[in-house]
Amino acid sequence: MNDVDNEKIDCDSSSRSVNSLIWSFPVLLNVTACLVYSATQACDALLQIEPSTNGGQRCGDTRFSLLSGSKVRQLEGEDAIGLRRWVAIGAQLDCYFETQVEVNRPSIDLAQLQDTPRYQLPASVIQYLMPSRYCQSDLFLDFTAIQFEGLTGGARVLSMNDWVASNFTYDIFSSNPGTTATESFAALRGVCRDYAHVLIAMIRAVGIPARFVSVYAPDVKPQDFHAVVEVFLEGDWRLVDPTGMAQPTEIVRICVGRDAADASFLTSYGVLNLQEQSVQVQRVTA
């Protein structure tokens, strides 16, 4: 293929991307999170509850308070999304976070988007093609090849998302922090974390990068930290929620990773016991 043909392909791809965008008015959200955990002994914890200004969202009026525990170090989140904090915990972790976030992200018609050729993937994206601890995508090869035969790109992702949404039952008692995508797939039930793991495993099984995203969103029931999926199509990350509770135009991304092991809001290096936890996300009306 000559250079002229390559330029034509790039132009056509850009045209598809523009046509798939539907812009709406920015959404303003008030976000609060409160975490109280007791510790059996002094330990360190990695806290990921603070979104950052990037990817169609802008944070302002932010407050992070530690009523118990001490700040050690703040650092950037994985793939430069969100903020992480190392916290030293004595007898208790007691923290409060609040911010106001403006989300200005277009609604995208995934069906119009095509796969990014794998040889064009950025180096940082390649890891999201691989099986991971909770998303054993290699075990979904046969199922996805048969179930989604003949589909490509965003149309295939949407079909997978619809399959999970239609076949799964949301059940807070059916899984635990160690439940894998294969176990959730066998049970056809779980919480947002499980929905996300199964969809990620399916998407990776057909050779499309997908990653786990911890988020805040206003219509999550019950209100809590929420998990969705980002898929890499036409050179960028696109949000998808297989539970149907969160819309990309109202999602506040906190952090990302290969699966929930990377994107947990709290990872402790010692035993912590939940005392109190609450999340509130409310739209700000004019």
Side-chain angles (χ1 to χ4, degrees), residues 5-120:
D5 292 333
N6 283 329
E7 290 177 2
K8 183 176 186 301
I9 288 175
D10 291 340
C11 180
D12 290 345
S13 176
S14 174
S15 176
R16 279 197 303 271
S17 297
V18 170
N19 292 335
S20 66
L21 302 180
I22 302 174
W23 288 92
S24 57
F25 291 106
V27 177
L28 197 60
L29 302 171
N30 283 334
V31 176
T32 61
C34 176
L35 281 71
V36 182
Y37 285 78
S38 62
T40 59
Q41 62 183 21
C43 65
D44 294 327
L46 184 63
L47 198 59
Q48 298 189 101
I49 62 173
E50 300 171 76
S52 57
T53 296
N54 53 27
Q57 61 191 50
R58 182 172 61 85
C59 300
D61 300 327
T62 295
R63 180 164 69 95
F64 176 87
S65 301
L66 269 179
L67 305 178
S68 180
S70 58
K71 304 176 186 177
V72 177
R73 184 186 177 198
Q74 176 180 305
L75 60 158
E76 194 174 58
E78 186 72 26
D79 292 346
I81 294 173
L83 300 174
R84 294 181 280 194
R85 291 180 190 263
W86 282 110
V87 179
I89 302 171
Q92 182 169 281
L93 169 67
D94 188 347
C95 72
Y96 178 81
F97 171 72
E98 66 176 342
T99 189
Q100 189 170 88
V101 186
E102 182 185 81
V103 182
N104 190 11
R105 187 180 297 123
S107 178
I108 296 176
D109 183 2
L110 287 182
Q112 294 190 38
L113 300 182
Q114 300 301 313
D115 299 335
T116 300
R118 278 179 281 280
Y119 69 87
Q120 292 182 358

Side-chain angles (χ1 to χ4, degrees), residues 20-274:
S20 66
L21 302 180
I22 302 174
W23 288 92
S24 57
F25 291 106
V27 177
L28 197 60
L29 302 171
N30 283 334
V31 176
T32 61
C34 176
L35 281 71
V36 182
Y37 285 78
S38 62
T40 59
Q41 62 183 21
C43 65
D44 294 327
L46 184 63
L47 198 59
Q48 298 189 101
I49 62 173
E50 300 171 76
S52 57
T53 296
N54 53 27
Q57 61 191 50
R58 182 172 61 85
C59 300
D61 300 327
T62 295
R63 180 164 69 95
F64 176 87
S65 301
L66 269 179
L67 305 178
S68 180
S70 58
K71 304 176 186 177
V72 177
R73 184 186 177 198
Q74 176 180 305
L75 60 158
E76 194 174 58
E78 186 72 26
D79 292 346
I81 294 173
L83 300 174
R84 294 181 280 194
R85 291 180 190 263
W86 282 110
V87 179
I89 302 171
Q92 182 169 281
L93 169 67
D94 188 347
C95 72
Y96 178 81
F97 171 72
E98 66 176 342
T99 189
Q100 189 170 88
V101 186
E102 182 185 81
V103 182
N104 190 11
R105 187 180 297 123
S107 178
I108 296 176
D109 183 2
L110 287 182
Q112 294 190 38
L113 300 182
Q114 300 301 313
D115 299 335
T116 300
R118 278 179 281 280
Y119 69 87
Q120 292 182 358
L121 293 174
S124 61
V125 174
I126 293 174
Q127 64 174 318
Y128 299 113
L129 283 170
M130 312 300 181
S132 60
R133 177 178 177 181
Y134 295 117
C135 302
Q136 313 100 314
S137 51
D138 52 321
L139 302 181
F140 286 81
L141 294 173
D142 291 341
F143 174 78
T144 54
I146 296 170
Q147 185 70 32
F148 307 105
E149 183 181 7
L151 297 173
T152 61
R156 180 157 52 176
V157 172
L158 279 179
S159 183
M160 292 176 177
N161 184 73
D162 291 344
W163 189 96
V164 174
S166 299
N167 288 279
F168 268 59
T169 299
Y170 198 91
D171 182 355
I172 62 173
F173 302 108
S174 64
S175 64
N176 59 64
T179 301
T180 66
T182 53
E183 292 168 334
S184 298
F185 180 75
L188 292 179
R189 57 203 315 115
V191 294
C192 59
R193 172 186 186 276
D194 307 305
Y195 279 61
H197 281 160
V198 172
L199 182 57
I200 289 168
M202 287 184 180
I203 295 171
R204 290 180 188 168
V206 298
I208 300 175
R211 67 187 181 186
F212 187 97
V213 193
S214 291
V215 307
Y216 295 113
D219 293 325
V220 174
K221 305 294 185 205
Q223 189 73 86
D224 204 344
F225 297 102
H226 190 49
V228 300
V229 175
E230 276 189 319
V231 57
F232 199 81
L233 294 169
E234 289 196 12
D236 206 353
W237 289 106
R238 321 291 181 170
L239 287 160
V240 184
D241 182 7
T243 73
M245 289 192 285
Q247 301 303 315
T249 53
E250 295 186 319
I251 284 175
V252 178
R253 298 188 303 170
I254 305 170
C255 58
V256 302
R258 294 165 299 174
D259 52 37
D262 293 339
S264 173
F265 65 89
L266 177 63
T267 303
S268 65
Y269 292 84
V271 178
L272 294 180
N273 299 304
L274 173 64

